[in-house]
Amino acid sequence: MAKFTSRAENFRFFLHNNTDTVSQRPVFKASVLKLHHLHSFPSRHRSEFRICCTLKEKENVKESERVADVLTGLRVNESEQAGSEGETGSGEVGFDWNWPPWKNVPERYKFIGTTSLAFVICNMDKVNLSIAIIPMSHQFGWNSSTAGLVQSSFFWGYALSQLPGGWLAKVFGGRKVLKIGVLTWSFATALVPLLAGFMPGLILSRILVGIGEGVSPSAATDLIARLIPLEERSRAVAFVFGGLSVGSVAGLLLAPPLIQNFGWGSVFYIFGSLGLAWFLGFQFLEEGKASFTAESISRSASQSAIMTQTWNASMRELGGSLKEVPWKAFFQSQAVWAMIYAHFCGSWGHYTCLSWLPTYFSEELNLNLTEAAWVSILPPLASIFVSGIASQFADHLISNGVEVTTVRKICQSIAFLSPAICMTLSSLDLGLPPWEMVGILTGGLALSSFALSGLYCTHQDMSPEYASILLGITNTVGAVPGIVGVALTGYLLDLTHSWSLSLFVPSIFFYLTGSLVWLLFASSKPQTFSKRD
C-alpha cells in the first residue's frame, strides 16, 4: 500500500478498465478515499489520500464504477482542468475534442452572454420601426397621427407586462420567461410586413412585441439573482443590460442599408429571424443546465431551495408574497410618488425622442434616411460614456461623505435640466446649421443618462427588500409616455406643423416639473414600509 500527500486542487484521477498492454503498466484503483472537505478544496489546506495498488483491475469492475461515481462528485476546478492535459481516454471514457471553443466556459457565463445577446436583439426590434416608419408612411399614405399610433402601440404591451412579467419570473423562473418572451417578440416582429396593410393586425403585432420585451427585464433579473454569485452580480447586470444600448446602435446602423437594398420589410424579417435563431440556440444551451444546476446547488443552500421548488409550492409562495407586499404603504410615501413622477417625466423625453428623432432629422434637417439613422445613434453612443462618468461621480461623492439623498438629487437634476436646456436651444430659431443642432441634442440626451445614478438607484437605497417591486411600479407608469406621448407628438405635429411645439415643448415641461418635484420630495433614506392594511 502506498501513501502520499498532494494539494487537492492539483490532484486528478483517471480510471481505466484495462491495463496498458504495451508497457504492462499497473492501473491504480482508488479504494479508500479520505477527504476532510468533500465539496471544496481550499488551496491553503492539504488533503491525505490512501491509494491501494493492484494489477487485477478487470476482476472488480463494479467496485471501480462505484469509486468512479464517488470521484465524479468532486468539484476540483473541472472547468479549468478540462482539456488542459493532452490525455484522452479510451473505451467508455471517450475523447475530449474541446469543441466548440466555449465548451469549457462556466455555464453561468454562457447564460449571461446569451441573455445579453437577447437584450441586443430586444432593442434592435424596438428601434427598427422608428426607421422603417418613414418609407412605410410613404407607401401607405399615413399622416403623422397614424404613424404615432403605430409606434405607440408597442408601449401598450410593454406597460401591461411589467408587473406580470415579474410574477411569472418568480413562478416559472427567469430562464423560461425570457425564452418565451424572445420567441413572442421575434415572431410578432416577423409578422409586421404581412400585417402592415391591415391596421388592427399591425397594431396587435406591435403590442405582442411590447409584451415579449416587457417581461424580459424581470426575467433577466431573476436569472441573474438565481445563478450568479454575489461577487459577480454587478458585472453581470452591467453586461446584460448594456446589451440594450448596443441593440439601439446596431438597429439604427443596420436598418437603413437593409431598407435601401431589400425594402423596409426585410428589416422585420431579418431581425425577427435573429430572435428565432437565439431561441433555438438557447434551447441547445439548456441541455447542459442539469450539471449547471448541480453546481449552483452546491454553491448556495438558499439557491438550492429555490431551484427545487415544485409548482404548487411556487404558487403558494407567490400568493403569500403578494399578500405580504405593503402596497398601501408604498402609495402613502411622498418619496415613492416623487420616483413615480420622475420616471414618467424622464420616459416622456426618452421615448418621444427615440421614436421621432429619425423623422425629425429627415424632415426638419433635410437628412436622407441613412444620415438620419447615423445621427440617431449618437445619443445612445454618448450615453454609454456618460453613464460611466456619472456612476464614478456619484460614488466619489458618497465615499467622501456627501449624503446619499443629496447625491441622487444632484444626478437626477443633471439628467433633467441638461436635455431641457438643449431642447430649448433647438426650439429657438437661432439659424444654426443641422450638424450643430444634432450636437446640441446629442449632448442633452446623453447627459440624461445621469438618471442611472439618480432615480434608478433610489429604489435600492430606499428599500433593498422591495426594490424590484418599486421598480416595477415606477416602470409601469414610466411606460405610459410611450403610449400617450408618442401618439400625442404625431397628433400635435399634424395640428401645428411645428416640431418645437409637438416634440420639444412637452418634453421641456416634464423635465422642469420633474426636477422641481424631485428636489422637493425625493429621498434615499431607508424605509421599512410597515404594512398598513
Side-chain angles (χ1 to χ4, degrees):
M1 177 176 296
K3 183 177 180 180
F4 65 93
T5 305
S6 173
R7 287 189 180 276
E9 68 267 22
N10 297 324
F11 190 82
R12 192 174 184 181
F13 284 107
F14 288 90
L15 295 178
H16 303 272
N17 291 330
N18 55 4
T19 59
D20 190 332
T21 57
V22 177
S23 61
Q24 296 299 319
R25 294 182 302 180
V27 179
F28 295 93
K29 175 183 68 175
S31 59
V32 180
L33 177 63
K34 297 177 100 179
L35 296 174
H36 296 296
H37 303 285
L38 182 59
H39 294 292
S40 61
F41 300 101
S43 59
R44 64 180 180 274
H45 296 301
R46 300 169 67 92
S47 301
E48 274 195 312
F49 297 89
R50 300 184 62 193
I51 307 297
C52 292
C53 306
T54 178
L55 295 174
K56 298 181 180 181
E57 190 67 20
K58 293 182 179 179
E59 299 176 358
N60 200 353
V61 176
K62 292 184 178 179
E63 185 178 354
S64 297
E65 292 176 349
R66 178 183 63 79
V67 176
D69 290 339
V70 174
L71 293 177
T72 54
L74 301 178
R75 295 174 55 242
V76 193
N77 298 329
E78 299 94 340
S79 61
E80 291 81 5
Q81 293 181 359
S84 61
E85 301 180 16
E87 305 179 16
T88 56
S90 60
E92 296 179 5
V93 177
F95 293 91
D96 184 6
W97 297 105
N98 288 326
W99 185 261
W102 56 83
K103 178 180 179 181
N104 294 325
V105 175
E107 292 293 332
R108 64 183 183 275
Y109 296 155
K110 295 179 185 178
F111 278 102
I112 289 302
T114 52
T115 304
S116 180
L117 181 58
F119 275 47
V120 173
I121 301 172
C122 172
N123 257 27
M124 289 176 68
D125 288 338
K126 182 186 294 184
V127 304
N128 57 4
L129 187 62
S130 65
I131 301 296
I133 197 69
I134 300 173
M136 291 174 70
S137 298
H138 294 161
Q139 178 178 337
F140 296 105
W142 296 340
N143 57 20
S144 297
S145 298
T146 304
L149 176 65
V150 172
Q151 293 195 81
S152 68
S153 58
F154 165 89
F155 296 98
W156 302 355
Y158 190 80
L160 292 174
S161 58
Q162 291 294 317
L163 286 176
W167 299 335
L168 290 172
K170 186 175 180 63
V171 174
F172 297 104
R175 208 157 34 201
K176 293 181 180 179
V177 175
L178 177 64
K179 183 172 60 176
I180 299 302
V182 174
L183 183 64
T184 300
W185 92 55
S186 300
F187 181 73
T189 296
L191 287 179
V192 168
L194 303 177
L195 301 174
F198 179 59
M199 185 59 65
L202 175 60
I203 291 177
L204 178 61
S205 68
R206 291 301 293 178
I207 291 175
L208 289 176
V209 173
I211 291 175
E213 296 193 9
V215 303
S216 299
S218 298
T221 301
D222 177 84
L223 189 148
I224 293 171
R226 289 174 183 259
L227 304 181
I228 303 301
L230 180 61
E231 62 272 15
E232 299 177 6
R233 197 161 293 163
S234 296
R235 285 170 289 169
V237 170
F239 187 75
V240 168
F241 287 91
L244 293 173
S245 296
V246 176
S248 295
V249 174
L252 292 171
L253 282 177
L254 294 175
L258 288 174
I259 292 173
Q260 290 177 345
N261 291 288
F262 305 104
W264 61 263
S266 63
V267 174
F268 299 99
Y269 289 134
I270 294 175
F271 287 10
S273 298
L274 291 176
L276 297 176
W278 181 96
F279 175 81
L280 296 177
F282 197 75
Q283 290 283 89
F284 175 78
L285 178 62
E286 280 197 310
E287 292 179 2
K289 73 179 180 181
S291 60
F292 179 41
T293 301
E295 181 180 350
S296 299
I297 290 174
S298 65
R299 188 167 58 236
S300 171
S302 62
Q303 289 182 6
S304 175
I306 296 174
M307 299 297 288
T308 56
Q309 283 180 339
T310 62
W311 163 259
N312 289 333
S314 297
M315 290 300 294
R316 287 195 299 269
E317 182 186 352
L318 176 63
S321 64
L322 291 177
K323 292 179 181 178
E324 293 300 321
V325 173
W327 300 101
K328 186 176 180 179
F330 289 159
F331 297 106
Q332 290 177 340
S333 169
Q334 289 183 338
V336 171
W337 281 107
M339 288 195 302
I340 292 174
Y341 187 67
H343 208 142
F344 178 91
C345 295
S347 294
W348 187 286
H350 175 74
Y351 288 142
T352 55
C353 288
L354 181 69
S355 299
W356 286 104
L357 271 185
T359 305
Y360 169 78
F361 290 143
S362 176
E363 296 184 359
E364 185 71 8
L365 303 184
N366 297 317
L367 304 180
N368 60 39
L369 185 65
T370 301
E371 291 173 337
W374 271 91
V375 298
S376 296
I377 72 171
L378 296 179
L381 271 179
S383 295
I384 296 174
F385 295 101
V386 171
S387 60
I389 296 173
S391 61
Q392 295 181 16
F393 172 74
D395 289 343
H396 176 74
L397 291 180
I398 293 173
S399 64
N400 282 276
V402 181
E403 188 181 1
V404 177
T405 298
T406 302
V407 174
R408 304 306 181 206
K409 288 185 176 182
I410 292 173
C411 291
Q412 193 59 40
S413 297
I414 294 173
F416 278 166
L417 296 178
S418 298
I421 294 172
C422 292
M423 287 184 179
T424 301
L425 293 176
S426 300
S427 301
L428 301 176
D429 187 10
L430 301 177
L432 299 176
W435 294 106
E436 291 187 14
M437 298 285 289
V438 170
I440 292 173
L441 288 174
T442 297
L445 294 175
L447 289 171
S448 68
S449 61
F450 262 82
L452 294 176
S453 299
L455 167 66
Y456 287 91
C457 290
T458 309
H459 307 79
Q460 301 176 31
D461 298 337
M462 187 180 297
S463 177
E465 181 181 2
Y466 296 113
S468 60
I469 297 178
L470 290 171
L471 179 60
I473 293 172
T474 63
N475 209 25
T476 299
V477 178
V480 174
I483 302 172
V484 179
V486 174
L488 181 63
T489 300
Y491 173 78
L492 291 176
L493 188 60
D494 280 336
L495 189 66
T496 64
H497 302 287
S498 170
W499 283 100
S500 297
L501 295 177
S502 58
L503 179 61
F504 296 134
V505 170
S507 296
I508 293 170
F509 170 80
F510 286 116
Y511 280 139
L512 294 178
T513 57
S515 298
L516 180 62
V517 170
W518 185 259
L519 290 173
L520 290 176
F521 302 110
S523 174
S524 288
K525 293 182 179 178
Q527 299 190 27
T528 57
F529 292 114
S530 57
K531 193 172 180 182
R532 308 167 189 170
D533 291 337

